[in-house]
Amino acid sequence: MQRLLLVSNRLPITIEKQKGAMHFHQSVGGLATGLGSFYKKYDSMWIGWCGLASNNLDHQTRRNIESELLTQHHSYPIFLSKYDIKMFYASFCNKTLWPLFHYFTDYTIFDHESWKAYQNINKLFLHDILRIARPDDIIWIHDYHLMLLPQMIREHLPHTQIGFFLHIPFPSFEIFRLLPWRKEIIEGLLGSDLIGFHTYDYVRHFFSSVRRLLGYDNTFGQIMVNHRIVKADAFPMGIDYDRFSKGTSDPDWLKEINKRCSDCKIILSVDRLDYTKGIPERLEAFDYFLEEYPEYRSQVTLIMIATPSRMGVEQYQHLKQRVDELVGRINGKHGTIDWTPVTYLYRSLSFEKIVTLYNIADVAMVTPLRDGMNLIAKEYLAARKNNRGVLVLSEMAGAKSELIEAIIVNPHNKQEIAESLKAALTMADEEQIERNTLMKDRLKRYDITTWANDFMGSLARVRNQQEEIGIKILTKNKRKNLLKKYQASNNRLIFLDYDGTLVPFVDKPELAEPDEEISALLKILNKDSKNEVILVSGRDRHTLDNWFGHLKVSLSAEHGVWLKEKGSSWHLIEPIKSEWKGEIKPILEAYVDKTPGARIEEKSYSLVWHYRRVHPELGTIRAIELKEDLLHLTANLNLVVLEGSKVIEIKNGGINKGRAALHWIPKKEWDFILAIGDDWTDEDLFEALPESAYSIKVGLTFSKSRFCLTNHLEVRELLQQFSSIQKPVPK
């Protein structure tokens, strides 16, 4: 059975030193609570900081802590010094990454020394992981504290399965680009096999940053990085549903609340005191609500729970002061002798007390300014025993994408929040039950265990895909066999694509003319009387003639529309009509007009819309839109819409590279057939070949080919070996 190593900044165990003795107990809240029930069911170990500064621990105490955690809690402690905690956690994590990823750029500090500390602590985690990791372990890394770690592990354990999950938002590129070390962060994350986010918006932002910083495009959520598939996807984190649905209230606490809030409807707010949570904005909206709807004075009470957080950070101190002042102002402005509008508790509450509040609150107001997910909203719904209660939820919370039946608000719009509070307080019981039943069923189905299993299942599928592609890689031994077959054969048929196969893609296709090396290779191969070399390209016949006419190789242009055998002239593969171009070209021209950088290439029997020089995100969007429009238009015109590398081509249906290949295949009894191509237009070619043929895809993606090479340089290397085949082939 494979072992699972969970890695996070903090262990799910809290260690306290009391009267000289160490006391260990399970942490409450966040990731620790979420995954605590999951990882105990497996052969697992949790790796993270133990929560104590190593400066205060002698060698024996550290050994005792390590022994206790390993034997009793399946955990392995990382020890950090006070300096590490200050520079890594308090500074870079909480003053750089946290505010930036939550769009609070004014609070973001870029400090080189804290960046060095971040690098060093990620290396420290790596060092300890390498001490305990086994070859077949699965490593699941969590959150923004350790974004460099996946690539570090990959360099030392290249075959290990690595998953990463980010529990905060991933910002848009316009925000992320502000980070001086943005490229290093992206490269660190791409060491993973699977990268998980709470919502698809975060996935989209991540792909945008990858494309702009490193130039990698994604296909169906997958990126090819250093011969390896990396997948990114959305996995909305669930909660331990049963824990909250079956949670019991604290009877004494219930009596106290009923006494304080008798005859009032309760609006509940539960948060960590953090500037991302929108607590001041929430209080101002409640103040506005009481002003606009005075009939609710003495009829509602806002119970606000704020758990202390990062009070050593200046912004948090200012936040607490502002919240204190707002609570005082609202209570002084609207309160009476027997009614307090806001009951404010600045402390942590036990699970039973929180469940009590969830159960009696008529409305839960969860309005963060930016939140990766927000589990409070889910906990409130799960804890409701009678399915009544109304959730008012910020559209900036990740949970919004799942809890669509909640009342969704803009957390900056106090008028909208006030109106939503009124709607929530007056909502009929039947509607409350209907909305909550739908949301609770969803939360019950996709709880924390399902979320974790979903992620692990996806990680396993990525590994299977990697192995399937890995089997096709033309390894040294496979290449040796291929060369032996080539050397032993007398009638060879060789199909070669051009762009992306023999040369790399360039921004201006007309600049991709063959260099001296590729011309020399083709000349040598073509001069061999045993070889029939055919260039099968999407290029027009005039370009192919200009570039390769002097070599006297056979040519296939426009994906098989035009054919030219060695020593003869061009001819059509069959009579083809082109009248349709007059109907389709205006559509392409319209898309050129609204897509800066796009252009149209007109071939004799096809039209091509190029978008290589278009802004990457705009190009992707426009290509999808254009393809959808074209598919509707071409449905009854016997046309096909081909999507290549930054191009969309429209041509007559039924004619493709495979059809062109069939022009040459029956001509001889070939004892060696080879085809090499890079995109999906070459799949028709691969499919048309006999089973004994060698088909090679350029790029490590799924294909009908038997083998694959990484890039055009490896293709040239193989052709070079063919051209010098008169030399003995290595045994």
Side-chain angles (χ1 to χ4, degrees):
M1 180 179 180
Q2 284 184 302
R3 189 174 61 159
L4 173 63
L5 301 184
L6 288 164
V7 187
S8 63
N9 175 54
R10 287 293 298 267
L11 288 174
I13 306 298
T14 300
I15 306 173
E16 295 178 345
K17 191 173 183 179
Q18 298 175 358
K19 297 180 180 180
M22 294 293 178
H23 297 269
F24 300 76
H25 58 87
Q26 193 76 29
S27 301
V28 177
L31 183 64
T33 300
L35 280 177
S37 58
F38 169 79
Y39 93 103
K40 290 180 181 178
K41 297 177 181 178
Y42 298 84
D43 180 12
S44 307
M45 182 178 294
W46 200 311
I47 301 166
W49 176 40
C50 66
L52 300 174
S54 59
N55 312 61
N56 303 328
L57 305 172
D58 58 37
H59 179 69
Q60 187 57 48
T61 302
R62 288 174 60 156
R63 290 192 63 181
N64 291 341
I65 290 173
E66 185 174 314
S67 176
E68 174 75 14
L69 288 171
L70 283 170
T71 57
Q72 301 301 318
H73 301 281
H74 303 284
S75 298
Y76 182 90
I78 303 290
F79 292 97
L80 304 181
S81 68
K82 290 180 180 177
Y83 178 82
D84 294 335
I85 298 166
K86 175 185 176 183
M87 298 303 293
F88 161 69
Y89 180 71
S91 185
F92 195 79
C93 290
N94 291 332
K95 293 183 180 179
T96 302
L97 295 178
W98 179 268
L100 185 70
F101 279 47
H102 286 85
Y103 293 73
F104 284 81
T105 55
D106 289 347
Y107 291 176
T108 305
I109 297 172
F110 302 114
D111 175 67
H112 186 70
E113 289 302 310
S114 65
W115 163 245
K116 286 172 60 178
Y118 186 80
Q119 292 174 297
N120 290 335
I121 298 308
N122 275 255
K123 289 176 183 176
L124 178 62
F125 271 77
L126 169 69
H127 178 266
D128 282 7
I129 288 169
L130 293 179
R131 286 179 58 193
I132 61 175
R134 302 170 187 166
D136 61 345
D137 283 343
I138 300 171
I139 301 177
W140 190 4
I141 304 164
H142 290 269
D143 228 358
Y144 62 102
H145 315 84
L146 301 171
M147 290 192 287
L148 301 179
L149 188 56
Q151 181 57 29
M152 290 180 175
I153 297 174
R154 179 68 57 200
E155 291 170 359
H156 289 82
L157 302 172
H159 304 297
T160 296
Q161 290 186 66
I162 303 173
F164 182 93
F165 197 91
L166 186 68
H167 292 268
I168 64 174
F170 193 94
S172 68
F173 180 69
E174 295 307 313
I175 297 294
F176 184 68
R177 71 192 301 184
L178 299 176
L179 185 66
W181 310 281
R182 59 204 182 186
K183 188 175 179 182
E184 290 89 335
I185 294 293
I186 290 293
E187 289 173 337
L189 292 173
L190 289 177
S192 312
D193 297 301
L194 175 64
I195 306 166
F197 302 89
H198 284 304
T199 73
Y200 184 71
D201 282 345
Y202 308 153
V203 178
R204 182 167 50 84
H205 293 160
F206 173 73
F207 281 140
S208 175
S209 291
V210 170
R211 183 169 54 249
R212 297 191 188 195
L213 294 173
L214 301 180
Y216 298 142
D217 278 317
N218 82 89
T219 304
F220 301 115
Q222 296 179 350
I223 308 168
M224 191 60 62
V225 181
N226 297 328
H227 308 179
R228 182 173 52 85
I229 287 177
V230 177
K231 182 177 177 63
D233 206 350
F235 303 87
M237 187 176 179
I239 60 171
D240 188 345
Y241 184 89
D242 287 344
R243 181 170 182 254
F244 287 92
S245 66
K246 297 175 182 177
T248 57
S249 299
D250 182 328
D252 294 332
W253 179 244
L254 181 59
K255 287 179 183 178
E256 183 179 341
I257 295 172
N258 286 333
K259 183 178 179 181
R260 292 174 61 92
C261 305
S262 58
D263 301 324
C264 282
K265 289 199 170 186
I266 295 174
I267 301 171
L268 178 63
S269 167
V270 180
D271 277 303
R272 189 166 54 82
L273 190 69
D274 190 283
Y275 51 75
T276 66
K277 302 301 182 181
I279 298 173
E281 291 78 7
R282 199 173 308 162
L283 285 166
E284 289 174 349
F286 184 64
D287 180 23
Y288 182 83
F289 168 76
L290 293 176
E291 287 180 349
E292 290 297 301
Y293 304 103
E295 65 271 22
Y296 282 98
R297 295 174 186 171
S298 300
Q299 303 300 311
V300 297
T301 294
L302 172 61
I303 298 180
M304 177 168 282
I305 312 299
T307 304
S309 174
R310 300 170 186 163
M311 290 314 298
V313 180
E314 183 179 0
Q315 286 89 354
Y316 290 81
Q317 295 170 353
H318 291 325
L319 175 63
K320 183 181 184 306
Q321 182 179 356
R322 186 181 174 196
V323 170
D324 291 344
E325 290 173 354
L326 281 169
V327 170
R329 191 186 78 189
I330 293 170
N331 284 340
K333 178 180 177 181
H334 299 288
T336 62
I337 293 176
D338 57 355
W339 174 63
T340 302
V342 181
T343 298
Y344 174 47
L345 302 179
Y346 177 62
R347 62 175 184 267
S348 299
L349 295 180
S350 68
F351 174 75
E352 290 75 16
K353 288 184 176 181
I354 287 291
V355 168
T356 303
L357 288 171
Y358 286 158
N359 262 304
I360 65 173
D362 299 279
V363 179
M365 187 160 49
V366 184
T367 55
L369 302 181
R370 186 77 60 172
D371 215 338
M373 172 52 66
N374 195 293
L375 300 181
I376 297 295
K378 297 185 175 185
E379 292 171 2
Y380 170 75
L381 293 168
R384 300 295 297 181
K385 296 293 191 291
N386 58 11
N387 277 4
R388 293 182 177 85
V390 181
L391 174 63
V392 177
L393 181 62
S394 166
E395 65 186 30
M396 305 297 182
K400 180 264 298 182
S401 59
E402 294 174 90
L403 306 179
I404 56 177
E405 291 81 12
I407 298 179
I408 308 298
V409 298
N410 181 337
H412 297 280
N413 189 336
K414 63 182 181 182
Q415 179 179 354
E416 182 181 33
I417 294 175
E419 292 171 354
S420 296
L421 287 177
K422 185 176 188 300
L425 292 167
T426 57
M427 186 180 292
D429 288 351
E430 294 79 8
E431 184 177 352
Q432 294 180 34
I433 293 170
E434 181 181 359
R435 289 175 180 238
N436 291 344
T437 299
L438 290 170
M439 290 188 285
K440 288 179 70 171
D441 287 346
R442 202 174 298 130
L443 295 178
K444 189 174 184 179
R445 288 194 305 271
Y446 201 83
D447 63 2
I448 183 65
T449 301
T450 305
W451 168 78
N453 286 331
D454 190 12
F455 185 93
M456 296 303 293
S458 186
L459 180 60
R461 287 190 291 275
V462 172
R463 173 48 56 98
N464 290 337
Q465 291 174 331
Q466 291 171 341
E467 290 175 350
E468 286 177 23
I469 290 175
I471 292 171
K472 289 189 173 185
I473 292 175
L474 194 64
T475 60
K476 185 177 181 180
N477 287 334
K478 293 175 183 176
R479 184 177 300 208
K480 188 185 297 184
N481 292 331
L482 174 61
L483 292 171
K484 286 181 179 179
K485 180 69 174 175
Y486 178 88
Q487 186 177 33
S489 58
N490 294 306
N491 293 302
R492 307 173 186 134
L493 182 60
I494 302 173
F495 296 101
L496 299 173
D497 176 46
Y498 184 69
D499 293 284
T501 299
L502 299 181
V503 296
F505 289 106
V506 294
D507 286 345
K508 293 184 177 180
E510 61 270 19
L511 300 180
E513 59 184 292
D515 54 34
E516 291 183 6
E517 181 187 34
I518 201 63
S519 295
L521 284 172
L522 292 174
K523 185 176 182 180
I524 293 171
L525 289 172
N526 195 51
K527 282 181 68 176
D528 190 330
S529 60
K530 298 179 180 179
N531 293 341
E532 175 74 35
V533 179
I534 303 105
L535 282 175
V536 284
S537 174
R539 297 255 181 186
D540 65 88
R541 69 188 193 280
H542 303 297
T543 299
L544 293 183
D545 253 342
N546 289 336
W547 288 356
F548 303 107
H550 66 289
L551 297 177
K552 304 227 173 357
V553 296
S554 295
L555 300 170
S556 169
E558 299 185 25
H559 303 296
V561 172
W562 290 98
L563 305 179
K564 181 181 181 182
E565 296 186 61
K566 186 191 304 186
S568 68
S569 58
W570 288 100
H571 66 275
L572 286 169
I573 192 169
E574 65 178 40
I576 300 174
K577 295 181 179 180
S578 62
E579 292 82 359
W580 57 267
K581 289 163 65 176
E583 185 175 347
I584 299 298
K585 191 173 181 180
I587 306 298
L588 301 186
E589 290 172 338
Y591 272 87
V592 168
D593 292 341
K594 64 180 182 179
T595 313
R599 69 180 185 86
I600 298 172
E601 178 188 5
E602 183 168 357
K603 302 176 185 178
S604 52
Y605 292 96
S606 67
L607 292 171
V608 189
W609 190 76
H610 292 263
Y611 62 100
R612 185 166 296 280
R613 302 182 69 187
V614 177
H615 182 286
E617 288 189 1
L618 177 61
T620 301
I621 292 170
R622 288 286 186 265
I624 293 171
E625 293 174 350
L626 175 58
K627 191 174 179 182
E628 289 179 353
D629 285 349
L630 290 172
L631 289 174
H632 288 300
L633 286 169
T634 59
N636 299 315
L637 294 176
N638 192 30
L639 300 175
V640 292
V641 179
L642 304 177
E643 187 171 6
S645 179
K646 305 296 182 183
V647 297
I648 290 180
E649 183 164 356
I650 307 94
K651 67 182 192 66
N652 292 77
I655 299 174
N656 54 51
K657 290 183 180 181
R659 177 91 176 274
L662 292 174
H663 176 79
W664 278 276
I665 290 174
K667 288 182 177 292
K668 275 189 183 181
E669 289 292 327
W670 308 102
D671 53 2
F672 180 90
I673 300 178
L674 170 70
I676 310 178
D678 74 291
D679 70 19
W680 75 273
T681 63
D682 298 297
E683 297 298 315
D684 295 317
L685 172 59
F686 300 152
E687 191 172 25
L689 301 179
E691 289 185 9
S692 59
Y694 290 90
S695 51
I696 300 176
K697 177 68 175 285
V698 182
L700 305 183
T701 57
F702 291 107
S703 172
K704 297 171 184 174
S705 66
R706 290 176 60 188
F707 304 103
C708 59
L709 291 170
T710 304
N711 53 43
H712 73 285
L713 296 176
E714 291 190 359
V715 175
R716 291 189 180 205
E717 182 184 351
L718 179 63
L719 297 182
Q720 186 69 54
Q721 291 174 307
F722 286 159
S723 68
S724 57
I725 202 66
Q726 64 269 24
K727 298 177 182 179
V729 179
K731 293 183 179 180

